[in-house]
Amino acid sequence: FLLDKPELGGLGLSTSDVGLVYGTFGVISLIIGGILGGIVISKYGLKKCLFPMALALNLPDIFYVYMAYSKPSLNLIYPLVSLEQFGYGFGFTAFSVYLMYISQGEYKTSHFAISTGIMALGMMVPGLISGYIQAKFGYPLFFVLVCLLTIPGMIPLFFIPLNEDNKRQTT
């Protein structure tokens, strides 16, 4: 989307601009979001933070809807992508902590590795069809669809049993 030509619906950024947006500002934002997410979870607990952090992970998708419709200048693309990456780092921390929470018992490292693999599969399968969907509908509707498809994934958060009264050793 960032590299695609404007006549194809993209933003037409250069490779160096995309590298700077994601490789520098995006990575810094992702790291800060992850660190801040860990601090927030340690202060308030995973149970209280899970849904707000899932929102922080998913709501910034709206920035891509905005960018697809408005084609903003580079001066606005940098902070929008940085905020999206911050939200991803912040929200993904809750997922990582949840995986540590459920990975218990004698084979907890294996449980964590398998859970992480399932997560990766959950990213790969949509990635296989996303290009086709984007080509069929265009970037604006594609990003709207992405936003709508986050809703079913957030509903189960209300039903996840978390009993944080039994604090566990995480060493």
Side-chain angles (χ1 to χ4, degrees):
F1 168 65
L2 297 176
L3 288 170
D4 241 354
K5 295 179 177 141
E7 54 269 13
L8 297 174
L11 297 180
L13 301 183
S14 70
T15 305
S16 62
D17 284 334
V18 173
L20 194 57
V21 166
Y22 273 109
T24 302
F25 295 108
V27 170
I28 291 168
S29 298
L30 183 72
I31 292 169
I32 292 170
I35 292 168
L36 190 60
I39 292 168
V40 168
I41 290 173
S42 71
K43 183 171 181 166
Y44 298 106
L46 181 61
K47 190 172 191 171
K48 287 182 181 175
C49 294
L50 194 58
F51 186 72
M53 292 178 85
L55 285 175
L57 180 102
N58 290 307
L59 282 178
D61 293 344
I62 293 170
F63 298 156
Y64 284 86
V65 174
Y66 170 76
M67 289 190 290
Y69 279 104
S70 70
K71 309 284 193 267
S73 71
L74 193 57
N75 292 335
L76 189 55
I77 294 169
Y78 278 93
L80 289 176
V81 172
S82 293
L83 283 169
E84 183 265 333
Q85 289 293 292
F86 174 84
Y88 184 84
F90 189 76
F92 191 77
T93 301
F95 179 72
S96 298
V97 171
Y98 179 72
L99 288 185
M100 288 188 284
Y101 179 84
I102 64 167
S103 298
Q104 297 300 312
E106 185 179 355
Y107 304 106
K108 64 182 170 185
T109 304
S110 297
H111 292 159
F112 187 82
I114 290 167
S115 298
T116 304
I118 292 168
M119 182 241 2
L121 184 64
M123 291 170 48
M124 288 173 56
V125 172
L128 290 171
I129 60 171
S130 64
Y132 171 77
I133 295 170
Q134 182 279 317
K136 182 106 174 135
F137 296 108
Y139 285 113
L141 289 179
F142 172 75
F143 289 127
V144 169
L145 182 62
V146 166
C147 290
L148 292 174
L149 289 174
T150 64
I151 296 168
M154 292 180 61
I155 292 171
L157 296 176
F158 296 106
F159 303 101
I160 292 176
L162 280 175
N163 183 5
E164 293 181 296
D165 295 337
N166 304 334
K167 294 283 182 186
R168 296 181 176 98
Q169 291 286 106
T170 56
T171 56

